[in-house]
Structure formats: C-alpha cells, structure tokens
C-alpha cells in the first residue's frame, strides 16, 4: 500500500480536500471520501457511463481516472445540478417524460445530456441518441430520455 | 378526476434526479468490513487445498474464510420442488470440495477496505485438481459424462412434459408440417446496478439485518432464516433503492448467505458490492435452450398440432427458490401461445453444465416459446402462400372462446388477441409497409416485417405456483394502510421496487380507494420489518396482487373513516362522501371532517368513537387472485438488413398491449418500451459466450453488448384496456411483456427480409457474424431474386 496523498479539488463550486492512496479511483474518492454517492458505479471499465461527471466542464468517466489525476480540477456531479433549490431543466424534463425508472443510470445520463446540450444546443433525435449512447440504461429503452432531452433543449435555448 | 388511470408524474423521481437515491453501495455502517470473494479460475475442479495464511497477514485484513469454515455458520441452499422428475441439488455459500463453474466463490476475504480485500485475494493460495468440463447439454447427457453433482446421479436435473390430444396423428394427417431446430443462446440480465448486500448482526437481541439489492426481501428472509438457523422474526431483510432487477435479483444468492454468516461470525457489519465482472460471472443467466419443434397446419392455415422437445442448459446450480425448472418448464407451458392448438406435446429437459446458474429473467421461458411458435407460424404462412397476419387471425383464440384452457393446462381468463393484432396491423400501416418493402427490394434493400403475438400469465395466485413445483407460496400479498394521526396515509407492502414506480402507482390506488389526497399517501415497501408478510416483486405480479391488497385495505379503512365521521357529524354514513382527504355531507359541502380530524378521533379512543368501535385507523388486508390473469400484446417490427455488413437496423417497432385496467399510462408505456429494448438486445446483440473449457468470454460490457440509444428505434405503443374479469381492480401485469414479444418480432422481420435469399432464421441473437455465416451457406431453397 502506497502512502496516502492529498487531493484538492473543487466539487460543485465548493473546495474539497481528502487523503487517499494514489491508486484510488476518482469515483471511489467522490463516493467514499467526499460522501457524494450520487455518482454511481456500474462497470468500473468505462463502458456503462453511470459514473459520468463533468471535469473542467467536459463529461468524463470517473471510474477510469484516479483521484490524484483530478487534483486541482473543477468537478460537477449530480449533487450540483440543482440551482437555488430548483431542478435543472433537464431534471424537470426527465421527470415530466418518464426518463427514469430505477434511477441508477440517471446521474450519469443527466451529466452526459448536459454535456451534449452544451456542445449542441439543438440536437436532432439522431444526435441525441448518438450523444446519450455513452450511457447504458437498462430500464427505459431510452424513449423517455430522448423525449426529455428534446424538451430540455427547447427550454434551455 | 380519478387517480387510477391518470399519468401522474412519479414521486420517487425527485431523489433519483438529484443524486439522493440510496442503493446498497451507498450505505455504510460504523465498523463496517468489506468482503471480496476469491473466485474459481476453473469451471470444474476439485479443491485440493487452500492456504489463506499469507492473505490473513496483510495489514487491514480481518479474516479469510473458506467453504469448510463457513459451513459451520450456514447450511447450503437446496431448492426443493414437488415436481416429479426433478432432482434437488445443493449450493453452498462458498464452494466445498469442488467448484462447478468459473467464477464460483471459494473464499471470502474481510478487510477494512475493498481495495485491501482485493489485494489479499492475490495472496490466497488455492490448489485445484481440474476435472473434465461439462460444456454443453449434449456432452452432459452423453454416456460417461462427468457429473456436475455426483449426488444427483445424473446431469439431467429435471424432465417434464405436457400432452394434449394426439399430436403424432395430427402431424401425420396435416396438409403441411413445418419444423426446425431452434436455438436461443444464453442471455445476461445486466442490471446497471450490480448485485450488492450488507449484513449487520446485533448480538444484543440476536437479530440479523440484511440490506440487499434484491427484488424479493420476503423470500430472502424465509430462505435465510432456515439456512442460518435463525427464527424468521430475528431476520430483517431490506431492499433499499435497487438499480434494476429484471428477474436477475429474484433468487437467493450464495453471497447473500455468506455476508450474513460473516457478519455473525465477525460481529461486524459486512458489505459486498459486486463489480461488473462478478456480475457477468455469477448472476443468474437466462434461456440457453435448443428447441426441436414442428407445427402441423391444414391447407387453409388452421393449426392442428404442435410438438416440441426443449433442452435447457441450466448451468451449475439449481437456484433458490425457483429451481432449475423455472425457465424450461415455462417454455413448454407457453409454446401454444394465444392460438387454438388442439394437439400438443411439449417435453423439457433441464441439464446441468459447468456454467453460471440459469434463473428467471424478464419473460421467463416465454421469449423463447414465442420466438419458436411465431417463427413456425410465419413459415407455415410462407409455405401456404398466405399472409402471416391472415394465418394468425385464423388461429388466434377469439373473445367468445374465453376463458380458454391451453394444452398445458393454463387458463386464459381474458384477452384481446384478435383485436391487438388488428390494431397493430393498422397502427403499423401494414399494407403500406409491405408496399415499401417491395419498393426497397427492387432497389436492392432488404427490409422485413415481423409480427409476434403472445399471451402471458400475470398476477399468478395461489392456485398456480410461480415456479413449477417450487415449494414456496407466491400467490398472495398484503397491504397495511394507515391514516396517521396527522392525517397523512402510510401504505406498506411486502412488495419491493426496482424501477416500477410503486411509490406512485400504489399511492394512486390507495388514494383513490380511500379518498385521500395523492400527495398525502406515502408508500413503504422492500422492508420485511415495515410491512405485512409478502415475497417481493417478480413475475408481473405487483399491480395485480399488491394493487388488489391495497384496494381491500383502503376500502376497509374508508368504511371505518366514514363510520367515525358519521358518528361525529351525527349523520348517516350513507349521507357522506369521502374524497380528497375529506368526508363531506352530501348536499351540504361546508359540513364535513378532514381525514386528519377523523384520525384524531380514531386515535383519541372510545370517547369520540361509535360505541364498541376499536380505536385506530389502520387496516391490513391480503389478496390472492387465485388463478391470476392474462396480459397480451402484438408486436410488429420493421427491420432492414444490410447484406454487406449483416447489420440489422430496427426501423420501426409497434406495440399494441392489453394490461387490463391501467393505473398509470406513463408507467405502462415505460415498462412496455423498456421490455422491448431488452428483447431487441436479446434478438440482435446480447449473448453470453463460454469457451469449451468453461471460461466466460463475455466478462465485460465490451464483450457482452447491451443496446444503447443509438441501436433502438422510437417505439410506438397503443394501449388496449380490457379490465381483467377475474382480478380485483381489473389490473393485469405489464412488467415482462415487452421482452416476450420483441425477440420474436425482430427474428421474424429478419427472416422476412432475407426471403430473397431463401433463408430462414432459427438462431438468436442474430449477430452480424451469425447472419454472415447464414448468408454464406450454400442455398438449399430458392436462389435470391435478382432485383
Ligand atoms: S462505472 Fe464508469 S463507465 Fe461504468
Ligand atoms: S433507469 Fe434503470 S438503468 Fe436507467
């Protein structure tokens, strides 16, 4: 076991610090050391997308990154998506269009959709499907999710 | 506005959307240990020795426990069945003596962190003596095959048959017999949340609590109590938020037994969170059947008979409590589908091999039976030169024939088989699609249309065991509905939820039946300490059985609330209405009492209650639908096959489903579409592959392909709403149907697209590789039409 190192980063606008082994995955650091369990682990090998967060504004998989690699970075996790106690338009739209069932993929799906709309504010249905194909949902068949992203895009424009 | 039937937005969404869901991996307890399981690298091997000392020496490691050591703490599982022709076998929490599949747990390391526990796994030295691997049912049934379970005396763990009429005679006399050998390969459920559990032993009161990512807390409690020698009331099983189930989380798993035993052994809470590799290695898998089936029809397309021999690879263990019979017996039970089949014989064999155990998965048996029967129906239509829809319409059971007893003895209480096909045909614009197909063919594009009709038994009551012969009762559920002193309503159930939205739908039922406000009703489930006795959520049963119990309890409570209000207002209960949380005197709307005021009186006691009335405002009721009911649907898929790449694109997908009276159309649609997605995945992408030596080759999500949004079409859903005549509330189950129809519809569409090549499709999934081999085969029938 290597000596613990200090990791300092900004999560959801708040400066956070923790000590962990250099080998610790970023997602485990978020969940275990910072208590942010909204980011989920579905595969630990970079495929399912459940662990997706924004790192310096871009979607990234926190299961294939070490916490030490995120030292100094600015992170946005699902816990930071609400603003002033109000749901983000994407969150609203997921509820309105039944874009979730078990909720396990939902945090990664929302962060991915957020990234999609940042880079493409008016996506077509095909572009939405392509964009969210980075995250696996086993419950919904993606139907409600696609509708929700369409609706949120309209609202956010 | 009535609440039952309204598209109410889900109340559970708020926590999931904000990252506040609580799944097992999110829970921690003081002094909690993490367990990692050492898993066998061999599919079949004797365990010669285990040296755990070096692992125990590693700092941070508390213990390393082997199968022999844990045997003093927990008995092996043994799934019993009353079915003749079934041999029960044992499944230990950690392997003893030998391992039966690659991935089986042989030792457990307990450490302060999962990282440390996994480090220690590498220090455990296990010596194995490899045994011949039983890789396929054929090999398993061959003379002199190695035995997976010596105690069973054979690798054939079960046989079963259903016979009606004279099927051989029907085959002889028929104008046409179509038949083939069908193969539906092994499937994995892949819930996005892997399995996980956490056990805590309280020595002070001698009570064990297990939090598990399970669909069946009630079944687990009963099973574990027996295995751990604890009275049932000293065990509490909680399913917190659960990230998908699909049947995969409806069995009792060895890891659940192990963490309970380990928590009791160490006196510390023990948590296990599977990683994806463990999930793909060890969670129950599905299907894996070879079906030799023949369909006999008259020249006019009337079905005369159906016969089938089904061999299932049930893997290494017979799972608790469903047994190894769960999947394959359902195949022969439901092969006749929604058709009039006079003469029938279905025979099943369940054969043990050195693979992960087979278990129930969304649809159980019926995705396979529907694939086979619907493929045969299409082939018969082609051979007779009939339209496949027309041939189906000729044979579907008509409303005036209901209730209808199927050849396997299942009774269909109701169904809109003909109507659902006609509506699907119209919704899909069938004639138009056929015309398009012709045009596409002339342009050198291979478009196909596939139809699939099915009927499924849902909400199964006590008359029919949910698993053939299983020695457990699954036909009842209870509901406890309570008006709290503050006027809010708590409704608790023995059910469990893993995405179905019970907190919304059951609240809709309770609120409407009781007359409460929807926002005042809170649904509690998934905790054996918090609700009435129940088993859990599986087999499309919760809306029917749990919903029925909710109706009974809410009605009882409504009656009592009205009696109290009548007493206090000095009117007759008949002159009162109760709705929106208030009892009101008919014609005098300003006179009334809120539920809060009524509850206040109920808990205040005798002084404020009618003479002799028991205080309190709470009712528990149980419901048993006895036989259960039938849901049905027609699926139509339109696909295009690229003959160069052999990729299949699903262009359209239409579902016309009838799940009886709808509680919440949003959720019904979500269930239907989610099921279709899994069925399309099963038809095109998903396959568990083992090498000849029993090694799993699909141990990651790079190898086991789950459909993404890009592979799926927008699904069009039409609801038919014929209430069940036999269940309380008229509800029918809807959780599984999507997965039952979709593989068959997609398979038929592919076969239809490939007609110019004279090819039939008899194997799923239809991966590009498999289609390529099919298309490269020397053509046995007609040569491709040149456009
Ligand atoms: S957990 Fe990170 S991609 Fe699956
Ligand atoms: S909602 Fe369950 S995995 Fe997406």
């Amino acid at each position: 076991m290597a000596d613990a190192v200090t990791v300092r980063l900004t999560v959801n606008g708040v400066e956070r610090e923790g000590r962990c082994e250099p080998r610790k995955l970023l997602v485990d650091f978020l969940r275990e050391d910072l208590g942010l369990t909204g980011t989920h682990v579905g595969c630990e090998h970079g495929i399912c997308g459940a662990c997706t967060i924004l790192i310096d504004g871009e979607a990234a998989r926190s299961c294939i990154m070490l916490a030490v690699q995120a030292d100094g970075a600015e992170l946005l996790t699902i816990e930071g998506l609400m603003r002033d106690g109000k749901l983000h338009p994407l969150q609203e739209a997921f509820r309105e269009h039944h874009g979730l069932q078990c909720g396990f993929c939902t945090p990664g799906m929302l962060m991915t959709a957020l990234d999609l709309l940042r880079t493409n504010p008016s996506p077509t249905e095909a572009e939405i499907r392509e964009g969210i194909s980075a995250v696996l949902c086993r419950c919904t068949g993606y139907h409600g999710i696609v509708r929700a992203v369409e609706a949120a895009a309209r609202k956010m424009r | 506005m009535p609440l039952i039937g309204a598209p109410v937005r889900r109340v559970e969404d708020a926590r999931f959307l904000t990252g506040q869901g609580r799944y097992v991996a999110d829970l921690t307890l003081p002094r909690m240990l993490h367990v990692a399981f050492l898993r066998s690298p061999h599919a079949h091997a004797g365990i010669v020795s285990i040296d755990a000392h070096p692992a125990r020496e590693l700092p941070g490691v508390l213990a390393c426990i082997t199968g022999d050591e844990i045997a003093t703490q927990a008995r092996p599982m043994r799934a019993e069945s009353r079915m003749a022709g079934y041999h029960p076998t044992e499944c230990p929490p950690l392997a003893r003596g030998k391992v039966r599949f690659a991935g089986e747990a042989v030792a457990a390391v307990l450490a302060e962190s999962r990282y440390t526990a996994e480090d220690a796994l590498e220090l455990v030295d296990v010596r194995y003596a490899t045994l011949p691997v039983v890789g396929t049912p054929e090999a398993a049934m061959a003379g002199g095959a190695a035995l997976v379970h010596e105690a069973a005396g054979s690798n054939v763990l079960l046989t079963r048959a259903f016979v009606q009429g004279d099927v051989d005679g029907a085959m002889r006399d028929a104008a046409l017999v179509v038949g083939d050998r069908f193969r539906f390969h092994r499937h994995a459920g892949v819930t996005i949340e892997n399995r996980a559990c956490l056990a805590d032993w309280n020595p002070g009161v001698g009570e064990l609590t297990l939090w598990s990512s399970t669909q069946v807390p009630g079944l687990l409690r009963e099973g574990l109590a027996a295995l751990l020698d604890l009275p049932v009331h000293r065990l509490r099983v909680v399913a917190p938020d659960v990230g998908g189930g699909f049947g995969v989380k409806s069995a009792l798993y060895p890891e659940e037994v192990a963490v309970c035993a380990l928590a009791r052994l160490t006196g510390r809470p023990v948590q296990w969170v599977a990683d994806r590799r463990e999930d793909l290695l060890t969670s129950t898998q599905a299907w894996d059947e070879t079906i030799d089936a023949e369909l006999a029809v008259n020249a006019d397309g009337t079905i005369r008979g159906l016969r089938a021999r089904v061999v299932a690879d049930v893997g290494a263990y017979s799972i608790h409590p469903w047994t190894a019979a769960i999947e394959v017996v359902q195949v022969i039970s439901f092969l006749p589908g929604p058709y009039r089949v006079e003469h029938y014989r279905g025979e099943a064999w369940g054969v043990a091999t050195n693979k992960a155990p087979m278990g129930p998965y969304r649809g159980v048996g019926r995705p396979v039976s529907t694939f086979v029967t619907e493929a045969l129906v299409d082939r018969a239509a082609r051979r007779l030169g009939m339209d496949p829809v027309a041939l189906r319409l000729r044979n579907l059971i008509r409303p005036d024939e209901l209730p209808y007893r199927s050849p396997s003895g299942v009774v269909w209480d109701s169904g809109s088989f003909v109507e659902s096909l006609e509506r699907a045909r119209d919704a899909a614009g069938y004639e138009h699609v056929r015309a398009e197909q012709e045009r596409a063919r002339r342009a050198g594009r291979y478009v196909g249309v596939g139809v699939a009709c099915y009927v499924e038994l849902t909400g199964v009551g006590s008359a029919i065991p949910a698993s053939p012969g299983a020695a457990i009762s699954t036909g009842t559920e209870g509901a406890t509905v309570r008006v709290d002193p503050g006027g809010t309503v708590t409704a608790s159930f023995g059910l469990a939820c893993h995405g179905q939205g019970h907190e919304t739908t059951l609240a809709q039922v309770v609120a409407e039946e009781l007359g409460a406000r929807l926002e005042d009703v809170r649904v509690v489930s998934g905790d054996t300490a918090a609700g009435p006795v129940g088993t859990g959520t599986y087999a499309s049963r919760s809306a029917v059985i749990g919903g029925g119990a909710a109706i009974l309890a809410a009605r009882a409570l409504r009656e009592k609330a009205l009696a109290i209000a009548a007493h206090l207002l000095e009117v007759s209960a008949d002159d009162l209405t109760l709705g929106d949380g208030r009892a009101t005197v008919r014609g005098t709307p300003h006179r009334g009492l809120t539920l809060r005021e009524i509850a206040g009186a109920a808990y205040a006691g005798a002084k404020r209650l009618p003479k002799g009335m028991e205080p309190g405002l709470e009712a528990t009721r149980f419901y048993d639908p006895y036989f259960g009911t039938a849901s049905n649907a027609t699926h139509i898929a339109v696909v295009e096959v690229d003959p160069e790449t052999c990729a299949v694109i699903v262009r359209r997908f239409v579902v016309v489903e009838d799940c009886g009276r709808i509680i919440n159309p949003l959720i019904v649609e979500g269930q239907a579409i989610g099921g279709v997605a899994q069925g399309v995945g099963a038809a095109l992408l998903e396959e568990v592959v083992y090498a000849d030596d029993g090694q799993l080759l699909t141990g990651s999500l790079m190898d086991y392909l789950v459909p993404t949004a890009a592979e799926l079409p927008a699904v069009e859903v039409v609801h038919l709403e014929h209430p069940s005549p036999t269940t309380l509330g008229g509800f029918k189950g809807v959780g599984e149907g999507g997965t039952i129809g979709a593989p068959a519809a997609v398979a038929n569409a592919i076969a239809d697209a490939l007609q110019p090549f004279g090819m039939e499709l008899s194997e799923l999934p239809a991966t590009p590789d498999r289609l390529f081999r099919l298309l490269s085969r020397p053509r046995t029938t007609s040569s491709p039409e040149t456009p």
Side-chain angles (χ1 to χ4, degrees), chain A residues 80-157:
Chain A
L81 197 53
M82 271 174 86
R83 278 292 139 81
D84 311 321
K86 276 182 51 193
L87 291 180
H88 186 277
L90 269 168
Q91 291 169 310
E92 288 276 10
F94 267 58
R95 177 154 199 260
E96 186 60 27
H97 295 274
H98 193 25
L100 63 153
Q101 290 183 22
C102 78
F104 201 79
C105 72
T106 309
M109 196 63 92
L110 283 167
M111 301 317 276
T112 302
L114 189 66
D115 190 52
L116 169 70
L117 295 185
R118 180 181 61 84
T119 51
N120 181 358
S122 312
T124 62
E125 171 166 350
E127 286 167 344
I128 292 173
R129 287 186 175 272
E130 193 61 39
I132 63 164
S133 70
V135 186
L136 297 178
C137 173
R138 194 58 155 165
C139 297
T140 61
Y142 307 101
H143 184 89
I145 297 175
V146 172
R147 294 289 164 270
V149 176
E150 280 171 347
R154 276 195 300 275
K155 208 156 170 198
M156 286 163 67
R157 276 202 289 274

Side-chain angles (χ1 to χ4, degrees), chain A residues 1 19-20 29 31 34 38 42 46 66 70 73 90 120 124 136 147 149 152:
Chain A
M1 222 188 319
R19 285 181 66 74
C20 67
F29 180 76
R31 294 175 48 82
L34 302 186
L66 301 173
L90 269 168
N120 181 358
T124 62
L136 297 178
R147 294 289 164 270
V149 176

Side-chain angles (χ1 to χ4, degrees), chain B residues 27 207-212 214-222 232-242 477-480 490-498 502-503 522-537:
Chain B
L27 309 175
E207 185 183 52
L208 192 87
T209 303
L210 175 74
W211 290 264
S212 186
T214 184
Q215 301 172 226
V216 287
L219 286 181
L220 257 49
R221 178 170 66 156
E222 277 183 57
V232 172
H233 69 301
R234 297 291 172 186
L235 246 163
R236 175 183 169 204
V237 180
V238 187
D241 288 330
V242 170
E477 277 296 330
T480 299
T490 305
S492 41
F493 295 85
L495 302 169
C497 189
H498 34 282
H502 292 165
E503 286 168 57
R522 167 146 162 72
V523 170
V524 175
S525 68
D527 181 349
T528 59
V533 169
T535 52
T537 290

Side-chain angles (χ1 to χ4, degrees), chain B residues 161-182:
Chain B
F162 295 112
V163 180
Q164 174 179 289
D166 171 19
V167 77
D168 298 327
M171 294 281 157
R172 226 174 14 245
D173 302 342
L176 172 70
V177 175
V178 286
D180 206 344
R181 165 164 289 195
F182 294 91

Side-chain angles (χ1 to χ4, degrees), chain B residues 68 156 162 239 242 255 266 280 288 344 389 501-502 512 514 623 627 723 753 769:
Chain B
D68 286 342
V156 178
F162 295 112
V242 170
E255 291 90 351
T266 59
L280 288 166
D288 206 350
Y344 177 65
V389 171
H502 292 165
E512 175 161 330
L514 172 58
Y623 179 55
F627 282 117
D769 160 57

Side-chain angles (χ1 to χ4, degrees), chain A residues 27 40-52 61-64 134, chain B residues 701:
Chain A
V27 68
H40 296 156
V41 179
C43 73
E44 276 179 282
H45 53 251
I47 299 294
C48 76
C51 65
T52 305
R61 286 160 197 242
S62 58
C63 77
I64 47 173
Chain B
L701 294 180

